Each structure stands twice: as C-alpha cells, then as structure tokens.
C-alpha cells in the first residue's frame, strides 16, 4: 500500500509567496525524489536527494532529506504562475529480487493566485 | 528523441470491453512501468518489467495484463473494463536500477462507462 504521507493535499497561495510541503514515511528511504506534474502531462523530476541531512536546490526550489531518513521537505520561494501543478514525493522500494520501483506520495496540488 | 510515447491520449470504453494501452520508448531503457493516477492517491504501480520477456506485478495489478516482447514496447491490456478502472495511466521507463532516470509519458486518460 501507500507508504508515503504527503501534506498538505492542496495549497492556494498568492504569487510571490513561499511554499512548503513535506512527505513522511514509516519506513526508512535511502533516496528521496520530488516530481512536478503539469496539467495534462506526466511527472517530471525536480530534485533527487541521496543522503540524510542533504539540502539541494534547483533554482527557486530547495529540498531536504530528513536526518531520520523518514521524511523530506520541498520549499518553493517567490512563487510564480508556472509553479501551478501537482508536486509528488517519491522513493524507491524493492520489488522482487533487486528490482527497484518508485512509490509515490498522494501529491500536493498547488494553485498560485495572481 | 521522442522519449516515452503513450497512445491513445483519451479513451472511453463501455463496461466489459477490452483494450490495449500502448507505450513505447526509444531510449533503450531496460526498466518500464505502468502507473495509474487517481485523485488524492498519487501514482500506484500496476505492473513493471526489468527487461524483455520479464514482467512482474505492482501494487494494483488486478484486471490488467502486460507483456514485454521487445525492449521498446510495454503494452497494458485491460481484459474486461470496469468503471473502477477509470483513471489516468502513465508509462515510465529508466535504465536499470537508476531510480532517478525514470522518464514518464504524457498519460492516457481512460473513462469506463
């Protein structure tokens, strides 16, 4: 079943505001990924985190790998209209053998108001 | 390069009908996966393949079949469509064991009436 709990489920913010969202798990992950999905498109990778405590930026986006390895955070600074979309956290799970697949959080729907 | 191509983009089926969702990638990726996306539930893994001739079940496999006869193609078959299969379906591919390398298609929106 779903292993990642993502919050908030949705956010309505004014253009220019900062945004924070997070993802928690009952299990330890050794990699955290953050994806963005634009309307009508598939998810696109924004940031990948590989080490507990790691802080990584991609433009106005900053993500952190929690030190317990059970959580991760994504911040967006100075939001703009094109930030609208669904943001997903994801992490690898081991399927049969050594094959790794991705499990996803339920997503945060971000709306940016002008 | 086209990346991951899914067809069709939209489909309406009647309950009980069967159909195949197509997925093709031109990046020579070993791993391919099918996910479904439902409101408030994120993406859930249906089936995946780690190479031609090898497939396995994901989290929600019931009602779906897959096969992988070539590296490039990974079709998803709905055997007898049900309204509960109304969803957006995404195909993804990656090089083996490189989690961050997953590339997603643009999705197929399926409605079963």
């Amino acid at each position: 079943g779903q292993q990642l709990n993502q919050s908030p489920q949705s956010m309505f913010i004014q253009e220019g505001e900062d945004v924070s969202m997070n993802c928690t798990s009952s299990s330890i992950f050794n990699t955290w990924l953050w994806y963005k999905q634009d309307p009508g498109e598939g998810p696109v990778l924004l940031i990948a985190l590989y080490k507990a405590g790691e802080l990584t930026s991609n433009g106005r986006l900053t993500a952190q790998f929690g030190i317990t390895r059970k959580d991760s955070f994504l911040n967006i600074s100075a939001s703009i209209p094109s930030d609208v979309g669904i943001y997903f956290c994801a992490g690898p799970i081991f399927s049969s053998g050594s094959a790794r697949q991705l499990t996803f959080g339920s997503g945060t729907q971000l709306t940016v108001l002008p | 390069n086209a990346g991951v191509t899914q067809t069709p983009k939209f489909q309406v089926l009647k309950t009980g009908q069967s159909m195949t969702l197509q997925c093709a990638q031109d990046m020579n990726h070993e791993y391919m996966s099918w996910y479904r996306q439902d409101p408030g539930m994120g993406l859930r893994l249906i089936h995946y393949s780690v190479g031609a001739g090898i497939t396995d079940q994901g989290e929600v496999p019931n009602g779906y079949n897959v096969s992988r006869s070539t590296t490039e193609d990974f079709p998803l078959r709905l055997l007898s469509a049900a309204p509960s299969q109304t969803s957006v379906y995404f195909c993804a591919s990656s090089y083996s064991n490189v989690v961050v390398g997953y590339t997603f298609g643009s999705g197929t929106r399926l409605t079963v009436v």
Side-chain angles (χ1 to χ4, degrees), chain A residues 16-93:
Chain A
E17 287 184 345
D18 298 343
V19 173
S20 289
M21 59 192 79
N22 70 81
C23 203
T24 61
S25 171
S26 57
S27 307
I28 288 174
F29 280 82
N30 55 22
T31 301
W32 283 95
L33 308 172
W34 285 93
Y35 282 84
K36 183 195 177 194
Q37 183 182 24
D38 288 327
E41 298 295 327
V44 173
L45 183 67
L46 297 174
I47 292 178
L49 302 159
Y50 301 102
K51 198 164 130 182
E54 179 181 354
L55 191 72
T56 297
S57 293
N58 178 4
R60 292 177 296 105
L61 278 62
T62 301
Q64 183 161 22
F65 193 142
I67 56 172
T68 65
R69 295 167 63 192
K70 292 185 177 181
D71 56 8
S72 180
F73 307 88
L74 177 69
N75 296 313
I76 305 173
S77 63
S79 59
I80 59 178
S82 62
D83 290 335
V84 165
I86 304 176
Y87 292 79
F88 292 102
C89 60
I93 55 172

Side-chain angles (χ1 to χ4, degrees), chain A residues 1-2 33 35 37 40-43 45 48 50 88 92 95-96 98-102 104-106, chain B residues 9 31 33 35 37 40-45 48 50 56 59 90 97-100 102 104-106:
Chain A
Q2 197 85 335
L33 308 172
Y35 282 84
Q37 183 182 24
E41 298 295 327
L45 183 67
Y50 301 102
F88 292 102
S95 305
S96 61
S98 61
R100 285 190 291 173
Q101 298 298 322
L102 289 179
F104 284 81
S106 55
Chain B
K9 282 197 74 69
Y31 280 25
S33 306
Y35 291 84
Q37 182 179 19
M41 301 197 69
L43 289 93
R44 293 182 292 168
L45 183 65
Y48 66 95
V50 299
D56 208 342
E59 180 185 353
F90 288 99
N97 238 20
V98 179
V99 173
V100 297
Y102 270 94
F104 283 81
S106 57

Side-chain angles (χ1 to χ4, degrees), chain B residues 20-42:
Chain B
T20 299
L21 280 63
Q22 302 291 344
C23 176
Q25 53 91 10
D26 60 359
M27 298 171 284
N28 203 31
H29 285 169
E30 295 96 336
Y31 280 25
M32 295 187 76
S33 306
W34 276 101
Y35 291 84
R36 61 176 288 173
Q37 182 179 19
D38 302 294
M41 301 197 69

